[in-house]
Amino acid sequence: MARVPHFLRRHHVGMDYQPAWESQTRLANRRRLLVFTGVFAAACVLSLAFTFLRPPQYRALALLQITPGAAAPRPIETVSGQSAAPAAESDKPFLTEVQVLGSRPVLEQTAARLARDGHDLSSLGEDPVTAMQAMIQVSPVSGTAVVEMSATGAQAELLAPLLNAAVDAYREHLAAAARESIAEVLAGSDDEIRKLERRVAEKNAEVETFRIAHDIVSLEREENQVLARVRGVAASLNTANERVAVAEGRLRSVNEAIAAGNAVTRSRDDPTLANLEQRASLIREDLGELERNYTPDYMTRDPDIKAKRVRLAELERQIAVQRGLNSQAALAEAKEELASAREMAARIRQQEATDRAAVQEFTARFNEYKALQDELTELQTLYRSATQRKVRLEASERERMPSVQVLEAASTPQTAWRPLYARDAGIAVAGSFVLALLAMWFVELFNRPEPHPSVLIAQPGGPLLGGAAPAPALAGAANRMLDAPERSLLPPAPVLPPELAPEEVAGLLHAATAEARLAMLLILGGASPQETLDLGWDDVDLLRGLIAIRGDSPRQLPISAPLLAALGAREASPGTRLLDDGQGRALAMDELHAAILCAAHDAGIAHAGLVTPAALRHTYIAFLVRQGVRFGDLAQLVGRLPAEALAAYSSLSPAGPRVPLESVERVMPALLA
């Protein structure tokens, strides 16, 4: 008997039908129950036994406040004769003290104390210190100097004495370590002071020897003899140069006065010349008085007047001769003064050249002396710092002693700390339940039953779904389904949208509005519906005939003749979208869908309800694929497609070699009609 599909049930009037798969279901349910119950019971027994057989663990707690002592400054180190700056001082880290609290030396002292107090440590094994390290945990409380010290173990009466003894041992350890550290620091400070004192004495002797050897009086340059002599020579040279300049100027003025016929010296500077000029002046006054009293004819005849005129001419001649002698004397004196000034300047310049080498050598030695003096000063500073530091160390010895304050001493625990039997039991039961479910699923994975048939319940002789098919036809359809092979478990292939015929595309474009026609031309040119809505006028290059597609699949689409005509009929507005709703707002996907649907109805397309933007895009992709375009080039035309869509389109591609991109016709003939 053929199997009945699971969606059909047979029913006959007056007859009970009980298929065989119902008994198989009962067996499968019984198997599931047995597997679940067995696994759940076994897991519960094992996990609960493990939970309740664990011995209890007790925990004791103590709180300490640790105040580390102030760390001593580090010694000042010197390397190869030059002092190094003091190292940066740092306090002892608090976490270091926490680590010391649980260290082996402290726990060894703790074990000795417990043994001395009569506690039995045999339960801790051959190495009780290692066992104590495993039992004790030390955790600092964040942001404070408080340390939480806990001990965990099976012996409740040993935990509190263990923690308290560890705290006492830690105190003794800190005190001993602090005393040792202080003694070591003081000894190091004394050694440091002795070294620096010796270095200061050696450097002081070296500086003094260098100063005496090179005749350096002081660090003040003006107080040293060589530099003072050089400064005097420089001042003398400046004075000599000034004298030369003055002498040259005087000689030049004397020559100019002689050339112009002017007197070089004044009359009062030459008594003879002054006497001659005075006598001549008296005669001129007498002659002038006579000229006012007598006529010129009388004056030419009077012998006294004629004698006076002769004496005046003789005096004027003598005055001229005396002035010439004075000019020659002044010229000779000016030349002699110039020569003397030049000679003096030359001697001083020669002295300066002689002293220049000595000055250079002295300057070099003086700089060396200053460097040595700086080193000595730095060593003296280090020595004073070390001395002061030792005094501070001795004064602050008590402050650098660490302290430990017990905030809460450990007490013997009365209840177990872990395990939490109730919580662990609940986890065990829940885990057993999940494990039983997984085991049941695993068993059923290898006992998958055959598909159960179903029985079709039909009215005798009555129609199905409004009389669409009579009972005999339904029975024939059921028999055909019984004979059909089982359906594959693989997911179904994607369903492609309907493809429009060329005449439907032409009618759709003819009936569409200008806005819808532009959108359809863009989609039928390679743009996706969303890319069509995102396009703006800035993406259109009419000169090159290209449209730039941006987004996840950037590319450039050529502008066909119909698309160019549609774009030319619109007013270009840079910065806006190509498609808008007439009020400047971008067109939405629902509005685009509605515009294409209206055009489909107006064109009289029979299946107008299936005409969508996706159907237009599928029509263009199918047009390209049927030409044999390479699937690798398809993304350059329509953008990237999912792998499932490419697999579906492969059924539309013709057999044979693929066509290169240059040979593919990009414009559908229906657009040119």
Side-chain angles (χ1 to χ4, degrees), residues 414-438:
Q414 302 299 323
T415 58
W417 176 57
R418 62 182 182 187
L420 301 176
Y421 293 105
R423 184 201 63 183
D424 294 348
I427 294 175
V429 173
S432 300
F433 183 80
V434 174
L435 181 62
L437 291 178
L438 292 176

Side-chain angles (χ1 to χ4, degrees), residues 455-471:
V455 178
L456 178 65
I457 302 176
Q459 299 294 331
L464 181 67
L465 298 177

Side-chain angles (χ1 to χ4, degrees), residues 69-191:
R74 295 178 57 186
I76 301 173
E77 301 176 355
T78 56
V79 181
S80 65
Q82 294 187 359
S83 60
E89 299 183 357
S90 61
D91 295 336
K92 183 181 296 184
F94 171 71
L95 294 179
T96 302
E97 299 293 343
V98 175
Q99 296 299 322
V100 173
L101 182 56
S103 63
R104 189 175 184 86
V106 174
L107 294 182
E108 288 176 351
Q109 297 180 18
T110 303
R113 279 177 169 272
L114 291 175
R116 192 166 54 248
D117 294 341
H119 292 280
D120 184 13
L121 302 181
S122 59
S123 60
L124 300 181
E126 297 180 356
D127 189 0
V129 176
T130 303
M132 290 179 185
Q133 286 181 330
M135 295 169 60
I136 295 177
Q137 293 183 350
V138 181
S139 303
V141 179
S142 177
T144 65
V146 178
V147 176
E148 183 181 271
M149 189 176 184
S150 62
T152 306
Q155 298 180 355
E157 67 279 358
L158 183 61
L159 299 180
L162 173 61
L163 290 181
N164 295 329
V167 172
D168 294 337
Y170 177 65
R171 282 176 171 169
E172 293 183 359
H173 177 81
L174 282 184
R179 287 191 297 270
E180 182 181 354
S181 175
I182 292 172
E184 181 180 354
V185 169
L186 289 176
S189 181
D190 291 336
D191 183 63

Side-chain angles (χ1 to χ4, degrees), residues 299-317:
M299 292 183 67
T300 56
R301 294 180 180 181
D302 187 10
D304 293 334
I305 295 176
K306 291 174 63 178
K308 287 183 179 182
R309 287 181 174 176
V310 171
R311 284 197 303 271
L312 178 60
E314 180 62 22
L315 288 174
E316 289 178 349
R317 185 186 65 79

Side-chain angles (χ1 to χ4, degrees), residues 509 515-533 535 547 549 555 557 563 579 589 592-593 596 612-621 624 637-638 666 668 671:
L509 292 174
E515 196 80 23
R517 184 182 303 107
L518 177 58
M520 288 188 286
L521 288 173
L522 288 171
I523 296 175
L524 294 174
S528 68
Q530 187 59 48
E531 290 172 346
T532 300
L533 296 177
L535 284 175
I547 294 179
I549 302 295
R555 60 194 185 278
L557 301 179
L563 180 57
L579 302 175
M589 183 63 72
L592 175 62
H593 194 166
I596 294 176
T612 61
L616 291 176
R617 178 170 171 79
H618 167 65
T619 301
Y620 182 67
I621 296 175
L624 298 174
L637 301 176
V638 297
R666 298 191 181 187
M668 298 179 63
L671 304 183

Side-chain angles (χ1 to χ4, degrees), residues 202-216:
E202 293 174 356
K203 182 59 70 175
N204 196 5
E206 180 183 357
V207 171
E208 185 64 20
T209 303
F210 188 87
R211 185 189 68 79
I212 295 173
H214 297 285
D215 194 18
I216 299 176

Side-chain angles (χ1 to χ4, degrees), residues 270-582:
D270 187 0
T272 303
L273 180 61
N275 186 22
L276 291 175
E277 288 181 348
Q278 184 179 7
R279 290 165 58 188
S281 178
L282 293 175
I283 294 175
R284 289 192 191 93
E285 290 179 358
D286 292 341
L287 291 177
E289 184 67 25
L290 293 173
E291 286 178 356
R292 286 192 295 271
N293 295 326
Y294 301 100
T295 62
D297 184 49
Y298 174 79
M299 292 183 67
T300 56
R301 294 180 180 181
D302 187 10
D304 293 334
I305 295 176
K306 291 174 63 178
K308 287 183 179 182
R309 287 181 174 176
V310 171
R311 284 197 303 271
L312 178 60
E314 180 62 22
L315 288 174
E316 289 178 349
R317 185 186 65 79
Q318 291 178 2
I319 289 173
V321 172
Q322 188 63 31
R323 285 180 176 174
L325 293 176
N326 289 341
S327 298
Q328 295 299 323
L331 180 61
E333 183 181 356
K335 289 182 178 179
E336 182 180 358
E337 184 180 357
L338 177 59
S340 176
R342 286 178 176 175
E343 183 180 359
M344 178 63 70
R347 285 200 306 269
I348 296 175
R349 197 174 291 111
Q350 183 178 3
Q351 181 66 30
E352 183 186 27
T354 303
D355 293 340
R356 187 176 297 119
V359 170
Q360 292 177 352
E361 182 179 0
F362 177 81
T363 301
R365 297 296 177 267
F366 185 78
N367 291 334
E368 294 180 13
Y369 176 73
K370 287 186 64 177
L372 292 175
Q373 191 67 36
D374 292 340
E375 293 178 6
L376 176 61
T377 303
E378 186 175 357
L379 285 175
Q380 291 173 345
T381 302
L382 293 178
Y383 175 74
R384 288 192 298 271
S385 299
T387 305
Q388 295 173 1
R389 185 170 156 274
K390 180 184 177 182
V391 174
R392 290 198 303 271
L393 287 174
E394 294 174 346
S396 61
E397 180 176 349
R398 179 174 296 180
E399 295 179 359
R400 290 184 287 108
M401 293 290 291
S403 64
V404 179
Q405 182 181 0
V406 180
L407 302 179
E408 180 181 345
S411 59
T412 303
Q414 302 299 323
T415 58
W417 176 57
R418 62 182 182 187
L420 301 176
Y421 293 105
R423 184 201 63 183
D424 294 348
I427 294 175
V429 173
S432 300
F433 183 80
V434 174
L435 181 62
L437 291 178
L438 292 176
M440 183 180 65
W441 171 81
F442 187 76
V443 171
E444 289 301 314
L445 183 65
F446 295 98
N447 292 277
R448 182 176 298 174
E450 295 292 333
H452 300 310
S454 301
V455 178
L456 178 65
I457 302 176
Q459 299 294 331
L464 181 67
L465 298 177
L474 181 61
N479 291 332
R480 287 194 301 273
M481 296 182 69
L482 289 174
D483 297 334
E486 295 183 357
R487 292 184 179 180
S488 174
L489 297 178
L490 296 176
V495 179
L496 296 176
E499 182 179 357
L500 302 179
E503 59 274 9
E504 291 176 337
V505 173
L508 192 64
L509 292 174
H510 180 72
T513 62
E515 196 80 23
R517 184 182 303 107
L518 177 58
M520 288 188 286
L521 288 173
L522 288 171
I523 296 175
L524 294 174
S528 68
Q530 187 59 48
E531 290 172 346
T532 300
L533 296 177
D534 294 340
L535 284 175
W537 281 103
D538 295 337
D539 300 324
V540 178
D541 190 351
L542 296 176
L543 296 178
R544 297 171 55 196
L546 296 174
I547 294 179
I549 302 295
R550 312 182 191 280
D552 295 336
S553 299
R555 60 194 185 278
Q556 289 186 338
L557 301 179
I559 300 177
S560 61
L563 180 57
L564 181 61
L567 290 173
R570 301 172 61 85
E571 181 180 358
S573 179
T576 61
R577 299 289 179 89
L578 284 179
L579 302 175
D580 53 28
D581 58 357

